[in-house]
Amino acid sequence: MRKEKIFIFICLVLLSACSPSALDGIVIEKATDGYKLSIDGRETYIKGVGGTYRLDIAAQSGANAFRTWGGNVEEIKKNLALASEHNMYVMQGIGMTKDSIRYYDDEYKNKMREEVRLLAETFKNDTSLLAWGIGNEIELGNANIAAAWNFVEELAQLIKSIDKRHLVSTVISYNPSALDSVAKYAPSLDYVGINVYGPMGEVQAVVDRSDYKGAFMITEWGPTGWWETASTEWKAPIEQTSEEKRQVYEERYTQYISANPRCLGSFVFLWGQKEERTPTWFSMFVEDTVDMLPLKGEKTPMVEAMQRVWTGKELDETAPIVQGMTINGKSAIDNIRIKAGALFKAEVFATDKENDSLTYVWEVLKEATVLGFGGSYEPRPERMGDVAVSDKNVYETAIKVPGEYRLYVYVLDNTGFVSTANVPFQIID
């Protein structure tokens, strides 16, 4: 009898060892006043970045995930290898069209079905994958329609029929009607990603009022967008200084993201550099390959901000603080106009907590005219004159050709941080 009990016990042990654990996988559970995310039984709050640039710095700063916007099998393998290397998770995007006509096109839909099936089958057991993101802001085109959202639901069900481990989501812009559409047409989604900038403080109320009752993440956020800020009389948007952005990042994270019980985390934008109206607007790092521009991809104060809020600790080294910038004593909001060929003087006001020596890099670019849509590619505007490098916080130059321009300053502390400001201006006859 004793031998039989021992045999049964051994069989049960072996059976449990060969069976999937109840703790395996990624789940969203209802909490007292919201939702919580668990990965293999560990409650996890997503501290994510948008993009794959300098994931070593992201991990050192306290991030545990990154988001992508698409990719084929080989590209996703590389992303997942990066995630494993840095002990992070991936919210992997699946690109979808914003053109409503395509959602009535069987050829397009069959292609998407094949792509999604392949991705789900290939990566269904990968432990570095957090979630699939079906589409990014598809409603920004003209695809906030039942046919599009029904297809998102179909793809979500397809993934879930194959991949039992990972979450499935879609990403929308800050758009209450799109949120209602998701609730009506795509109930199989595990959560919704919301991309939002200036109106971050309104998100909780908007989500709570909507028909959508599930969990969400803030999948793209950062400074106040160029479409949300004040502009000059000639419609040049006025960008915040990097110090103003740092304050905004910390405030939006602590007051609105981490404080919301329905929010499972976020992906800050952009953990890297991109041209969108300016080279610095959404960039948390500066450029590093521009001819004659002595920048090496330094960190901006927004990286400092995220390390502070992710870790809850103060940094030993911080970025310079740019308090403002003027041209001929005027700020950007003053609609600065300068006569062609006239000498003008710019001044930036900067300090450094650690009293590091500061280097000032000055550059004039034409105002951007080749503009993208929804974050699509924009070329870097043409430079006027030479880049100037100095240990002085003032800069003088003259421009003879009438037009719209923007003066940039990069304030380097030579420890790996850089702070930025820019001012749009006109040259007139």
Side-chain angles (χ1 to χ4, degrees):
M1 187 65 162
R2 187 163 179 267
K3 289 182 179 179
E4 289 177 357
K5 288 182 178 181
I6 292 172
F7 176 76
I8 292 171
F9 175 76
I10 292 172
C11 288
L12 289 172
V13 169
L14 291 173
L15 182 62
S16 64
C18 296
S19 302
S21 168
L23 298 180
D24 284 349
I26 304 171
V27 296
I28 297 172
E29 300 171 303
K30 195 81 173 68
T32 305
D33 52 355
Y35 292 91
K36 64 180 181 179
L37 171 70
S38 294
I39 302 176
D40 296 331
R42 300 185 307 277
E43 186 173 344
T44 304
Y45 187 77
I46 298 302
K47 302 174 181 180
V49 302
T52 59
Y53 183 77
R54 292 308 303 268
L55 292 177
D56 55 335
I57 295 177
Q60 292 163 12
S61 299
N64 61 8
F66 62 89
R67 179 189 169 206
T68 73
W69 288 263
N72 57 34
V73 168
E74 292 307 312
E75 290 167 336
I76 295 172
K77 285 180 179 179
K78 291 178 182 177
N79 290 339
L80 293 170
L82 284 172
S84 178
E85 177 185 352
H86 297 290
N87 196 28
M88 301 175 79
Y89 297 101
V90 182
M91 179 179 171
Q92 177 61 48
I94 299 173
M96 296 274 283
T97 183
K98 293 178 172 63
D99 183 357
S100 63
I101 298 300
R102 304 297 299 279
Y103 292 101
Y104 299 97
D105 180 348
D106 287 338
E107 183 178 352
Y108 171 74
K109 292 199 291 184
N110 285 334
K111 180 182 177 183
M112 288 304 307
R113 291 178 183 117
E114 291 174 8
E115 176 186 335
V116 166
R117 179 179 294 279
L118 175 62
L119 295 180
E121 289 176 343
T122 303
F123 300 106
K124 61 185 178 182
N125 296 317
D126 197 291
T127 55
S128 293
L129 183 62
L130 170 71
W132 298 104
I134 304 174
N136 181 68
E137 299 180 345
I138 64 171
E139 83 287 351
L140 275 188
N142 51 6
N144 190 20
I145 57 173
W149 294 117
N150 282 332
F151 190 54
V152 169
E153 170 69 7
E154 179 190 329
L155 295 181
Q157 290 186 18
L158 174 59
I159 293 172
K160 285 174 172 286
S161 72
I162 300 167
D163 182 349
K164 308 297 184 182
R165 175 179 174 84
H166 304 111
L167 304 177
V168 184
S169 66
T170 192
V171 174
I172 62 173
S173 64
Y174 178 68
N175 185 335
S177 65
L179 201 58
D180 291 339
S181 294
V182 169
K184 183 176 182 179
Y185 298 110
S188 296
L189 297 173
D190 295 300
Y191 70 91
V192 173
I194 302 174
N195 297 345
V196 58
Y197 289 87
M200 183 71 78
E202 304 169 12
V203 171
Q204 182 165 358
V206 166
V207 173
D208 288 347
R209 284 197 306 266
S210 76
D211 295 336
Y212 179 73
K213 303 305 176 186
F216 70 93
M217 290 191 199
I218 301 297
T219 39
E220 188 176 307
W221 68 279
T224 301
W226 50 263
W227 61 94
E228 299 166 323
T229 66
S231 297
T232 64
E233 292 175 351
W234 56 93
K235 307 302 181 185
I238 298 172
E239 184 176 345
Q240 297 166 308
T241 67
S242 57
E243 174 60 17
E244 290 170 329
K245 293 178 190 177
R246 181 195 65 77
Q247 294 174 14
V248 161
Y249 275 57
E250 293 189 24
E251 175 186 290
R252 290 176 181 169
Y253 187 87
T254 56
Q255 294 186 20
Y256 305 120
I257 295 176
S258 63
N260 191 322
R262 288 178 66 180
C263 184
L264 303 174
S266 70
F267 295 85
V268 67
F269 189 84
L270 171 71
W271 195 265
Q273 189 279 329
K274 71 171 298 194
E275 172 74 35
E276 187 167 339
R277 282 3 180 226
T278 76
T280 55
W281 204 296
F282 298 102
S283 305
M284 298 179 69
F285 296 79
V286 293
E287 297 162 291
D288 61 356
T289 58
V290 178
D291 187 42
M292 304 303 292
L293 188 67
L295 301 177
K296 300 177 182 178
E298 287 86 354
K299 301 179 291 185
T300 69
M302 294 79 82
V303 175
E304 171 194 329
M306 294 316 300
Q307 182 172 342
R308 184 175 289 112
V309 298
W310 282 334
T311 65
K313 298 176 182 178
E314 192 51 54
L315 286 70
D316 295 331
E317 186 68 47
T318 59
I321 299 169
V322 172
Q323 289 126 349
M325 176 180 169
T326 61
I327 295 178
N328 290 344
K330 295 181 178 181
S331 299
I333 198 66
D334 296 324
N335 299 302
I336 301 165
R337 293 182 172 92
I338 302 164
K339 285 284 188 179
L343 190 69
F344 62 87
K345 179 181 178 180
E347 187 172 9
V348 64
F349 308 96
T351 59
D352 189 84
K353 289 181 182 178
E354 293 79 37
N355 295 315
D356 297 318
S357 61
L358 301 179
T359 301
Y360 301 86
V361 177
W362 303 87
E363 181 182 36
V364 177
L365 300 179
K366 290 185 176 181
E367 188 66 12
T369 55
V370 182
L371 308 176
F373 172 73
S376 62
Y377 170 78
E378 295 180 14
R380 192 177 201 268
E382 182 184 347
R383 178 185 298 154
M384 290 300 292
D386 296 326
V387 173
V389 181
S390 171
D391 60 358
K392 306 295 183 185
N393 69 324
V394 295
Y395 170 73
E396 291 185 332
T397 193
I399 297 176
K400 296 179 180 180
V401 182
E404 297 172 6
Y405 301 91
R406 196 176 288 253
L407 174 63
Y408 295 80
V409 66
Y410 300 88
V411 184
L412 298 140
D413 68 358
N414 303 296
T415 72
F417 276 112
V418 60
S419 294
T420 66
N422 64 68
V423 174
F425 63 97
Q426 276 188 331
I427 297 295
I428 59 175
D429 287 325

